[in-house]
């Protein structure tokens, strides 16, 4: 049994002369839901892409499920599901075809017909992915990340575009999977979502870590008593806050 | 193996659903066969030629399938999948994204082969066509031209930074080659100046090879086009490897 599912040490990445991620350090334990927060352009997606090995970090040590994501890609991604922001698919592919294709990549995949039911998409197998509504597409992208039957899943803006009911359903389902031992790393713009799901969070501001702790501790260390205000305070533009960390 | 099978089945369905390759690769070449067959058919290719117009044109018509799949199909689908980050998504699965490229090449090869079979069937059944050269030599030359043009198609996909450039490059190479290399308009009836210009198009050389093997012409007619086809493939592969990007 692995207790540390993910270790990030000193991750740094810059684009030309802009520093996108500066010395990021965190660990995620098995069964934890870890949230990466920050404004647009704070470095959330870049961090995730470097952790997954699709972007090459300038420096830093990444270990996922005791594996190196670049050297052990084939082995690692049997057990890791990934949802990127705004996924695009093949032109004119149907929901069922896309699920079946994704299913064929893995040795021990989940039953995608069951997942379609869970995500309220059953009966849509013969529909083109391009004809789905925004919410349905978003649910499909989360579903695809769960087809590997993963031990660890990365969800980048998992409920953007979903209505309240659909978001609650997704949260409930993810909490249920967490109970079964799934580890989740997510990014989100919604504070209620983070409050609802995350055990610990990391707030990024222009690539720098400005907070890294449990939700309760992050609030306690701020002058506020709720996560909304605390988040805005941490990620705000005031220069004074940096002294705290 | 299961992944490959499911991926092939899916991409084949998508290609058929898309219709473009069916229309431009298969449909167009069959229609061209029928039109040329009805208009020129069994007439001698040129005044006093020993072979018919149909026999002479066969090698040119079958190149339409190669050109449509290799110069339109492959570069467009590869740059589309790159643009949509589908290739990138494969990098976070146990499957190598190169498998998707292989599957696409195979799908297009199959469409090209279907086009060849349909053109051959139509010419034999309706226009008294029979191949003069040895069948096996023709098939080998067909595979060489296909390999060479597909490599060039991969080169176009590799040097295009986005889908718009890919579209532009495909139009820039596909249409001139379709009309000027002798695939549609017979090379033999072009004025000398035009022939000289056409000689520079890689597909012209490919068609010369296909015609020479279909007609069973002496080997010295094939040396030049074979050399050019191999050279094009080698250069294209080197450039493709140098410039190819997964995203």
């Amino acid at each position: 049994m692995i207790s540390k599912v993910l270790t990030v040490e000193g991750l740094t990445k810059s684009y030309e002369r802009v520093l996108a991620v500066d010395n990021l350090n965190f660990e995620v334990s098995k069964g934890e839901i870890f949230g990466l927060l920050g404004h647009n352009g704070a470095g959330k997606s870049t961090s995730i892409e470097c952790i997954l090995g699709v972007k090459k970090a300038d420096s830093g040590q990444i270990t996922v499920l005791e594996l190196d994501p670049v050297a052990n890609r084939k082995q690692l991604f049997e057990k890791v599901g990934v949802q990127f922001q705004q996924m695009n698919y093949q032109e004119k592919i149907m929901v069922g075809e896309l699920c079946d294709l994704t299913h064929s990549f893995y040795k021990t995949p989940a039953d995608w017909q069951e997942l379609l039911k869970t995500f309220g998409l059953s009966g849509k197998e013969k529909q083109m992915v391009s004809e789905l509504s925004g919410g349905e597409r978003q649910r499909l992208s989360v579903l695809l990340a769960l087809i590997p039957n993963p031990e660890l899943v990365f969800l980048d803006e998992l409920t953007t575009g979903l209505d309240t009911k659909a978001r609650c359903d997704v949260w409930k389902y993810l909490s249920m999977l967490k109970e079964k031992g799934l580890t989740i790393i997510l990014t989100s713009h919604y504070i209620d979502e983070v409050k609802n799901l995350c055990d610990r969070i990391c707030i990024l501001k222009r690539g720098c870590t400005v907070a890294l702790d449990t939700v309760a501790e992050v609030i306690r260390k701020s002058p506020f008593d709720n996560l909304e205000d605390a988040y805005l305070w941490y990620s705000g533009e005031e220069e004074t806050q940096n002294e705290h960390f | 193996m299961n992944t490959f099978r499911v991926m092939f089945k899916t991409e084949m369905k998508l290609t058929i659903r898309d219709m473009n390759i069916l229309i431009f690769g298969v449909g167009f070449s069959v229609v061209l066969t029928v039109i040329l067959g009805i208009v020129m058919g069994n007439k001698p290719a040129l005044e006093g030629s020993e072979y018919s117009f149909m026999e002479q044109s066969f090698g040119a018509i079958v190149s339409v399938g190669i050109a449509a799949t290799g110069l339109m199909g492959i570069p467009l689908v590869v740059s589309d999948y790159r643009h949509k980050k589908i290739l990138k998504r494969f990098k976070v699965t146990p499957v190598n994204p190169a498998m998707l490229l292989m599957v696409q090449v195979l799908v297009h090869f199959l469409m090209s082969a279907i086009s060849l079979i349909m053109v051959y069937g139509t010419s034999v059944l309706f226009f008294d066509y029979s191949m003069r050269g040895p069948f096996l030599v023709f098939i080998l030359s067909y595979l060489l031209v296909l390999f060479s043009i597909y490599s060039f198609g991969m080169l176009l996909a590799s040097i295009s930074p986005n889908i718009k450039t890919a579209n532009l490059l495909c139009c820039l190479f596909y249409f001139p080659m379709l009309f000027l290399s002798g695939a549609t308009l017979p090379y033999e009836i072009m004025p000398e100046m035009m022939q000289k210009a056409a000689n520079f198009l890689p597909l012209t050389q490919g068609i010369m090879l296909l015609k020479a093997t279909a007609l069973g012409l002496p080997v010295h007619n094939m040396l030049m086009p074979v050399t050019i086809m191999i050279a094009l493939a080698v250069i294209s592969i080197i450039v493709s490897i140098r410039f190819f990007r997964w995203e």
Side-chain angles (χ1 to χ4, degrees), chain B:
Chain B
M1 215 43 229
N2 184 46
T3 309
F4 190 86
R5 193 179 53 80
V6 175
M7 198 188 285
F8 177 75
K9 192 183 73 184
T10 311
E11 296 297 328
M12 191 74 195
K13 272 196 225 165
L14 294 178
T15 307
I16 292 169
R17 206 172 284 158
D18 182 56
M19 297 295 286
N20 273 330
I21 294 298
L22 274 186
I23 293 170
F24 292 105
V26 181
F28 185 73
S29 51
V30 174
V31 170
L32 190 64
T33 313
V34 172
I35 291 173
L36 290 180
I38 290 172
V39 177
M40 305 297 282
N42 297 324
K43 287 178 199 151
L46 294 165
E47 203 86 14
S49 292
E50 56 179 284
Y51 34 79
S52 71
F53 185 84
M54 204 61 210
E55 285 172 319
Q56 189 197 44
S57 296
F58 181 76
I61 301 169
V62 297
S63 76
V64 171
I66 300 180
T69 53
L71 299 176
M72 288 290 261
I74 291 179
L76 290 183
V77 80
V78 170
S79 56
D80 180 47
Y81 283 8
R82 179 170 45 209
H83 176 74
K84 287 185 173 156
K85 299 190 188 295
I86 291 171
L87 295 174
K88 176 181 161 187
R89 203 178 75 228
F90 271 74
K91 289 198 151 184
V92 294
T93 72
V95 180
N96 193 325
M99 189 191 273
L100 187 59
L101 298 186
M102 268 164 52
V103 164
Q104 279 299 337
V105 169
L106 192 66
V107 164
H108 284 92
F109 168 68
L110 234 96
M111 299 305 280
S112 179
I114 291 171
S115 162
L116 171 66
I117 293 166
M118 301 271 285
V119 168
Y120 184 74
T122 311
S123 349
V124 169
L125 286 176
F126 302 107
F127 305 110
D128 282 339
Y129 175 73
S130 68
M131 193 173 288
R132 287 172 176 245
F135 201 70
L136 185 68
V137 178
F138 174 79
I139 291 297
L140 286 176
S141 71
Y142 182 84
L143 291 176
L144 174 65
V145 175
L146 183 124
F147 181 73
S148 186
I149 295 295
Y150 279 23
S151 305
F152 188 68
M154 275 294 178
L155 177 148
L156 296 184
S158 301
I159 60 171
S160 307
N162 53 49
I163 189 111
K164 270 191 186 149
T165 317
N167 249 316
L168 181 75
L169 285 178
C170 286
C171 291
L172 213 63
F173 283 96
Y174 175 66
F175 288 107
M177 288 214 220
L178 189 65
F179 294 115
L180 302 178
S181 65
T184 44
L185 183 70
Y187 178 84
E188 290 76 9
I189 65 167
M190 291 179 191
E192 208 185 321
M193 277 301 285
M194 205 168 151
Q195 282 186 346
K196 277 185 181 153
N199 284 344
F200 285 101
L201 295 171
L203 195 62
T204 311
Q205 300 297 326
I207 289 173
M208 281 180 181
L209 177 63
L210 291 170
K211 279 184 175 172
T213 51
L215 288 169
L217 299 181
V219 176
H220 70 83
N221 288 299
M222 306 173 193
L223 291 179
M224 184 68 171
V226 166
T227 315
I228 291 175
M229 285 294 101
I230 293 174
L232 177 69
V234 170
I235 294 168
S236 299
I237 290 170
I238 293 172
V239 176
S240 301
I241 291 173
R242 170 72 184 77
F243 289 101
F244 188 78
R245 294 285 175 270
W246 292 107
E247 57 171 308

Side-chain angles (χ1 to χ4, degrees), chain A residues 10 20 26 32 35 43 49 77-78 83 92 104 118-119 132 135 141 147 157 172 176 191 211 213 222 230 240 244:
Chain A
F26 67 90
E32 221 183 354
E49 291 188 345
F77 287 107
E78 282 286 346
Q83 176 234 345
K92 294 187 178 153
S104 77
T118 311
F119 282 82
L132 293 178
S141 73
I147 286 184
E157 300 196 358
K172 240 185 266 170
M176 194 267 281
I191 296 301
D213 216 321
S222 79
T240 48
H244 293 265

Side-chain angles (χ1 to χ4, degrees), chain A residues 120-131:
Chain A
L121 291 169
S122 50
K124 303 269 181 191
E125 288 93 329
K126 296 269 171 217
Q127 200 169 332
M128 302 271 184
V129 174
S130 55
E131 289 166 359

